[in-house]
Amino acid sequence: MLKKLVCFGLLIAASQFSAQTIERQVIGSAGTTLTNGTISLDFTVGELAVSTITDGTTTLTQGFHQGTVALAIRVDPVVFLQGALLNNGGGNLMRDDLRASLLPTTSPYSDGLTCAASVFNNGGTSGAGATSDNIVDWVLVELRDANDNEVIEASQSALLQRDGNVVGVDGISPLEFNIPSKSYYVAVRHRNHLGIITANTIALSSGSAVVDFTDVNNQITFGTDAQTTFGLPSGVVAMWAGDANQDGRINYLGALSDTPSIRSQVFNDPNNSVFGGPPIATYQSSGYVATDLNLDGLTIFSGSNTDVLIVRDNIFNNPSNSVFGGPPTGTFTFTQQLPEGAGGTN
């Protein structure tokens, strides 16, 4: 942004017979004309910052200063949510069941960003885009300090497409952050999947940088078993599903179990009643809630496709769940691999 008031220093070299001088003047943003009666100069804010003009006798040096221009840096994360890939019919596209009627236009994260409802159209705003770019859910992207990966320099709500691309609230553009171009750790959070962060810093600038968390043969995440391949198409890894109580952990049978949250969602649903009777365990509770672990729009406690099985399976199939090489246990607690000082909680 150019300063509204700019001071130009004008120096007129002495001629053979007499000196010609224009005193310092303040130039407004609309520009002006300066004259000493012999020489006239027209200025507008926006001319070259430094310039020297001479006719062989008289020499003019002009210039002005402007504030630092900060260009937005861009980042293109690519992530998969395990829940949306489970039972997706094959291929590497996540299901987008929430998009049709349950996905909110206001982000569930603290910045409260909003998008137009048309962004959730099949095929995007125009309806003519690729359905692989349909929106699956909101995520939160963090850029963390290169010298301390617990320090969050900036964060922003974003939208996740079926093909794993994380985009801005218009549903198509790369994410932009108005912070300096340099290297950052890149982290991604989701409301019921365990968060992830890059093991190394990524150089970010005004040119988009792709940060692909999904390639099983080139895993870039920090920590141990930070992502999973369980139940997924070959060749990909995804963020662990199962954090129904949103504490940054997955637990099946222990004190931190996610199962009670799923049960509570079902039994406390005001619509869960048959002819005015007590609630039933097999009721399917509809809504945009954290207990819907496979993102199909339903929380199921008991019966087929129960969300409890996602928690159980992810605990028993977690490679970290082993005591001295023995069998996995149902009480094992797995914490998201995000450096946060206090132990990985949100």
Side-chain angles (χ1 to χ4, degrees):
M1 180 74 66
L2 297 178
K3 293 181 181 295
K4 291 185 176 180
L5 294 179
V6 184
C7 291
F8 288 86
L10 304 178
L11 175 63
I12 307 298
S15 69
Q16 182 177 358
F17 300 102
S18 62
Q20 300 181 22
T21 303
I22 298 177
E23 298 297 332
R24 291 177 180 269
Q25 301 288 331
V26 175
I27 309 290
S29 59
T32 192
T33 297
L34 303 179
T35 181
N36 68 352
T38 303
I39 299 174
S40 294
L41 300 172
D42 292 325
F43 290 93
T44 59
V45 175
E47 291 190 58
L48 188 62
V50 177
S51 180
T52 298
I53 305 172
T54 181
D55 63 0
T57 301
T58 301
T59 299
L60 166 69
T61 300
Q62 62 170 345
F64 62 84
H65 295 283
Q66 61 187 40
T68 301
V69 178
L71 297 176
I73 62 174
R74 295 183 176 184
V75 60
D76 283 307
V78 184
V79 298
F80 282 140
L81 301 177
Q82 181 199 23
L85 275 177
L86 294 173
N87 303 312
N88 68 340
N92 293 347
L93 294 179
M94 292 177 285
R95 287 177 290 98
D96 59 343
D97 302 300
L98 300 177
R99 177 186 54 79
S101 60
L102 294 175
L103 203 55
T105 56
T106 299
S107 166
Y109 305 104
S110 59
D111 61 3
L113 290 185
T114 62
C115 69
S118 58
V119 170
F120 299 151
N121 288 347
N122 186 40
T125 301
S126 67
T131 56
S132 61
D133 290 339
N134 282 357
I135 302 303
V136 173
D137 202 356
W138 290 90
V139 294
L140 183 70
V141 177
E142 298 172 347
L143 301 185
R144 299 195 178 196
D145 185 79
N147 297 312
D148 186 346
N149 61 7
E150 294 183 10
V151 175
I152 300 170
E153 295 276 351
S155 65
Q156 183 179 159
S157 292
L159 296 170
L160 177 63
Q161 298 177 339
R162 292 185 67 199
D163 57 8
N165 290 325
V166 177
V167 296
V169 293
D170 64 356
I172 54 174
S173 298
L175 293 185
E176 293 189 348
F177 292 84
N178 291 315
I179 57 177
S181 297
K182 59 180 182 178
S183 293
Y184 299 89
Y185 291 97
V186 179
V188 181
R189 294 180 185 265
H190 182 262
R191 57 200 174 85
N192 61 17
H193 286 60
L194 299 187
I196 55 176
I197 188 172
T198 55
N200 300 306
T201 59
I202 308 295
L204 300 179
S205 65
S206 58
S208 295
V210 176
V211 183
D212 189 355
F213 288 97
T214 69
D215 186 353
V216 73
N217 297 313
N218 182 32
Q219 298 191 45
I220 63 173
T221 44
F222 166 87
T224 302
D225 303 320
Q227 295 200 88
T228 182
T229 60
F230 179 71
L232 305 183
S234 63
V236 302
V237 289
M239 298 168 65
W240 289 97
D243 188 11
N245 61 9
Q246 299 184 301
D247 68 350
R249 306 176 179 92
I250 301 176
N251 179 240
Y252 176 48
L253 294 178
L256 300 172
S257 175
D258 290 279
T259 301
S261 294
I262 298 172
R263 184 185 187 280
S264 178
Q265 174 64 33
V266 170
F267 278 87
N268 290 308
D269 189 315
N271 296 314
N272 184 1
S273 176
V274 178
F275 302 115
I280 58 175
T282 55
Y283 180 77
Q284 299 183 355
S285 178
S286 176
Y288 183 76
V289 289
T291 50
D292 170 23
L293 299 180
N294 62 358
L295 309 186
D296 65 353
L298 301 172
T299 298
I300 304 174
F301 174 65
S302 178
S304 60
N305 298 321
T306 171
D307 291 282
V308 174
L309 286 179
I310 295 176
V311 178
R312 186 199 70 178
D313 288 348
N314 277 349
I315 287 301
F316 280 98
N317 289 280
N318 191 307
S320 294
N321 185 3
S322 176
V323 179
F324 303 114
T329 64
T331 56
F332 175 73
T333 298
F334 185 66
T335 301
Q336 64 187 0
Q337 304 294 285
L338 271 179
E340 294 182 292
T345 57
N346 286 335

